[in-house]
């Protein structure tokens, strides 16, 4: 963006990335990142460009970029909680979106194709997953091992409004108790409905979109960022089978009721 320094936009992108991966950035870490010049990749230099580089490096040094943390807070592009952790405000998110950096970073790695690999070594892996889930609108996430810690991210970053989990695995009772508390305490938790089923037929992970499209997930949401996995769009006939199967299980499943914490 012409009116905002590149390192300011880069700081906004990094703050947003960390928050969406469940690791909000401490306020004091913002300038440490923003003022550090990223390392250059390998380059092949011609004789002319090599001489040009020599003259550049022998010329006057440009100082480090100015600090940005206090500025971002002053213009209300970020907000800081009582633990000194930061997130973008709606205005900050709008500025980042207008800059185009987020979409250009994702588009370089996640073009409009049916399938995408989610590599744990990719720093944008959760951004890519979020983008895929956003395409489902107010759809259904089927994830047997879905955990309470993913509820905030799901509500804040996607429009999914239903989650179907399993009650058959060893930690399912504890998971449901934690989910019930999260639904009652996480902001806008009432927007999400979670149901559980003991049906053996629930063994896949997928997203059924609001308009019926299906995406298959190679692992539980909890495993993204830990293991190599993928999001795959099946053919229409296979998608229809998944859609019918899991919408049927949803109708018969039991609601996980929000459980407020009492003193």
């Amino acid at each position: 963006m012409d009116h905002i320094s590149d390192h300011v936009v880069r700081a906004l992108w990094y703050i947003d990335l960390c928050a969406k991966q469940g690791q909000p950035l401490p306020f004091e870490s913002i300038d440490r990142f923003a003022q550090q010049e990223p390392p250059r990749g390998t380059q092949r230099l011609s004789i002319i460009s090599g001489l040009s580089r020599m003259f550049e490096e022998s010329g006057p040094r440009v100082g480090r970029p100015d600090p940005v943390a206090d500025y971002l807070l002053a213009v209300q592009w970020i907000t800081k909680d009582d633990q000194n952790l930061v997130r973008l405000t709606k205005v900050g998110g709008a500025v980042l979106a207008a800059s185009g950096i987020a979409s250009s970073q994702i588009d370089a790695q996640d073009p409009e194709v049916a399938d995408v690999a989610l590599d744990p070594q990719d720093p944008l892996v959760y951004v890519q997953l979020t983008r895929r889930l956003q395409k489902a609108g107010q759809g259904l996430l089927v994830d047997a091992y879905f955990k309470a810690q993913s509820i905030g991210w799901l509500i804040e970053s996607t429009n999914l409004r239903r989650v179907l989990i399993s009650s058959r695995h060893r930690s399912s009772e504890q998971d449901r108790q934690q989910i019930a508390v999260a639904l009652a305490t996480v902001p806008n938790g009432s927007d999400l409905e979670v149901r559980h089923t003991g049906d053996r037929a629930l063994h896949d992970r997928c997203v059924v979109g609001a308009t019926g499209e299906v995406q298959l997930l190679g692992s539980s949401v909890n495993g993204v960022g830990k293991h190599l996995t993928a999001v795959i769009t099946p053919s229409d006939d296979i998608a229809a089978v998944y859609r019918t199967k899991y919408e049927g299980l949803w109708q018969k499943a039991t609601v996980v009721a929000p459980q407020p914490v009492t003193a």
Side-chain angles (χ1 to χ4, degrees):
M1 298 179 72
D2 294 338
H3 305 297
I4 304 175
S5 300
D6 289 344
H7 77 298
V8 173
V9 177
R10 194 164 62 92
L12 288 173
W13 169 80
Y14 188 55
I15 292 167
D16 190 50
L17 173 67
C18 291
K20 286 181 176 177
Q21 293 197 41
Q23 299 292 331
L25 196 66
F27 181 77
E28 60 272 15
S29 297
I30 297 176
D31 287 330
R32 191 179 309 140
F33 172 80
Q35 293 183 283
Q36 182 65 45
E37 186 71 19
R40 292 173 176 169
T42 302
Q43 295 178 315
R44 293 184 178 275
L45 299 178
S46 66
I47 295 176
I48 300 299
S49 60
L51 290 172
S52 175
R53 174 68 58 79
M54 288 174 60
F55 282 116
E56 288 176 3
E57 294 180 349
S58 62
R61 293 284 182 179
V62 178
R64 296 178 68 191
D66 291 335
V68 301
D70 289 334
Y71 169 76
L72 295 178
L73 197 61
V75 296
Q76 299 182 353
W77 289 355
I78 62 172
T79 183
K80 182 171 59 171
D81 64 18
D82 54 4
Q83 294 181 316
N84 226 32
L85 302 177
V86 296
R87 296 178 182 273
L88 296 190
T89 62
K90 289 185 177 180
V91 175
V95 172
L96 177 61
S99 74
I101 185 172
S103 59
S104 64
Q105 289 278 359
I106 296 171
D107 289 341
Q109 302 179 43
D110 181 22
E112 292 297 327
V113 294
D115 306 336
V116 60
L118 299 176
D119 189 336
Q121 301 302 317
D122 181 0
L124 293 176
V125 63
Y126 266 96
V127 180
Q128 294 205 51
L129 174 63
T130 300
R131 188 186 187 198
R132 306 301 291 198
L133 297 188
Q134 285 174 339
K135 294 180 179 179
Q138 296 185 355
L140 166 67
L141 170 63
V142 179
D143 187 343
Y145 297 95
F146 183 81
K147 303 288 186 183
Q149 55 262 38
S150 296
I151 287 179
W153 160 74
L154 199 71
I155 293 173
E156 180 181 340
S157 302
T158 79
N159 292 317
L160 292 173
R161 291 297 175 260
R162 297 183 293 155
V163 179
L164 180 62
I165 64 175
S166 173
S167 56
R168 289 182 52 80
H169 58 88
R170 185 177 302 175
S171 64
S172 63
E173 183 175 356
Q174 180 181 6
D175 288 347
R176 294 198 307 274
Q177 291 172 348
Q178 293 175 355
I179 288 172
V181 172
L183 290 173
T185 55
V186 169
N188 301 315
S190 59
D191 291 345
L192 188 68
E193 182 175 353
V194 179
R195 296 186 184 184
H196 67 90
T197 177
D199 197 309
R200 293 178 181 272
L202 200 169
H203 53 77
D204 300 296
R205 295 152 303 271
C206 69
V207 177
V208 180
T211 56
E213 71 280 3
V214 173
Q215 298 180 79
L216 305 181
L217 307 179
S219 73
S220 170
V221 167
N222 312 312
V224 174
K226 301 176 183 177
H227 314 289
L228 178 64
T229 186
V231 180
I232 299 173
T233 302
S235 60
D236 291 345
D237 55 338
I238 295 177
V241 173
Y242 275 89
R243 184 167 54 249
T244 300
K245 172 183 176 180
Y246 287 115
E247 287 291 1
L249 288 179
W250 171 263
Q251 293 300 325
K252 298 176 183 178
T254 303
V255 174
V256 178
Q259 182 63 53
V261 178
T262 56

